[in-house]
Amino acid sequence: MKTRIHLGLLWCGVALLCALGARGQFAQGQKLVSNPEVAGALLGFATAIDDNLMVVGAPFEDGARGSAYVFEKSGAGWVQVARLIASDAKSQQYFGYTVTVKGGTIAVGAYPIGQGRGSVYLFGKAINGWNQHQKLTGDEFNGTTQNIGYFGGSIALTDDHLVVGAAGETDDNAFNYDKGAVYVFSKNNGVWNRTHKLRASDGVGGGAGSV
């Protein structure tokens, strides 16, 4: 029988793990609680799973500085093995708004709602746990108030490529805000470099930037 995994969001800061049974009905399995357990953190706001590794975002934790929790499969259950925070954590950063994982790499988006350009943090697995390797950001244009970017509001990861949406990004025309863009990064010798920036050919305000 093929088992599927589903994670549910609760305001009180738990994630529910559900399994699909033989009759096609979901049944609650393990309840995941972060350590430390923080009410209002929105643990489960973003989730990602790859084989025996799971990442769960809690973007409202600690004054919305945010964090992401890493769980590994152990026997029949899941155990927390790491808590990730940004190296430059600050209030209302919303680190953990988006998460993705592939192999030995975890990407976590910080999506400062209405306040900043956003960023994506990359973590790699090491002997002593998970370490932050890089912080990625998008472009700046003229410093206009409309260009808040929302870089990191959506992310997707493969072994060697990372795609990041920036739905709020504008261009040099201050009136063409929220045109949106998608950034593509590739890994070379352990370093992630931007290789492409994609825009819709007929892009207009509010038109693009999710992946």
Side-chain angles (χ1 to χ4, degrees):
M1 180 187 69
K2 193 172 184 179
T3 301
R4 297 179 184 175
I5 300 297
H6 172 75
L7 287 170
L9 164 68
L10 291 178
W11 175 259
C12 58
V14 299
L16 298 179
L17 199 67
C18 301
L20 184 65
R23 297 183 179 180
Q25 296 178 331
F26 278 104
Q28 181 182 327
Q30 185 177 353
K31 181 174 78 170
L32 304 180
V33 180
S34 62
N35 181 19
E37 185 176 357
V38 181
L42 262 67
L43 178 76
F45 189 92
T47 59
I49 189 168
D50 181 47
D51 292 330
N52 294 324
L53 195 64
M54 185 191 314
V55 185
V56 183
F60 285 77
E61 185 177 290
D62 190 21
R65 287 174 173 83
S67 63
Y69 292 86
V70 184
F71 296 85
E72 287 187 357
K73 188 73 177 296
S74 177
W78 295 81
V79 296
Q80 180 182 321
V81 295
R83 175 178 178 258
L84 309 180
I85 58 174
S87 58
D88 56 354
K90 58 185 178 181
S91 62
Q92 296 186 315
Q93 189 174 31
Y94 299 101
F95 176 91
Y97 191 95
T98 52
V99 297
T100 186
V101 55
K102 182 64 177 178
T105 301
I106 292 173
V108 181
Y111 189 80
I113 302 169
Q115 299 184 46
R117 292 164 47 228
S119 51
V120 172
Y121 297 80
L122 291 158
F123 295 82
K125 191 171 184 180
I127 296 176
N128 62 338
W130 290 86
N131 299 323
Q132 181 183 320
H133 288 168
Q134 272 185 265
K135 175 186 175 182
L136 306 176
T137 58
D139 292 330
E140 291 185 15
F141 293 95
N142 296 337
T144 61
T145 57
Q146 293 95 340
N147 187 35
I148 51 181
Y150 294 141
F151 180 93
S154 56
I155 51 179
L157 179 68
T158 67
D159 288 326
D160 297 313
H161 297 90
L162 173 69
V163 183
V164 182
E169 186 171 298
T170 184
D171 54 20
D172 289 323
N173 179 357
F175 296 100
N176 199 14
Y177 58 91
D178 288 349
K179 185 176 181 179
V182 172
Y183 292 81
V184 181
F185 298 84
S186 297
K187 184 169 66 173
N188 184 17
N189 294 324
V191 179
W192 293 86
N193 299 298
R194 193 176 99 184
T195 55
H196 298 88
K197 181 179 179 180
L198 311 177
R199 288 190 184 275
S201 59
D202 57 351
V204 295
S210 293
V211 295

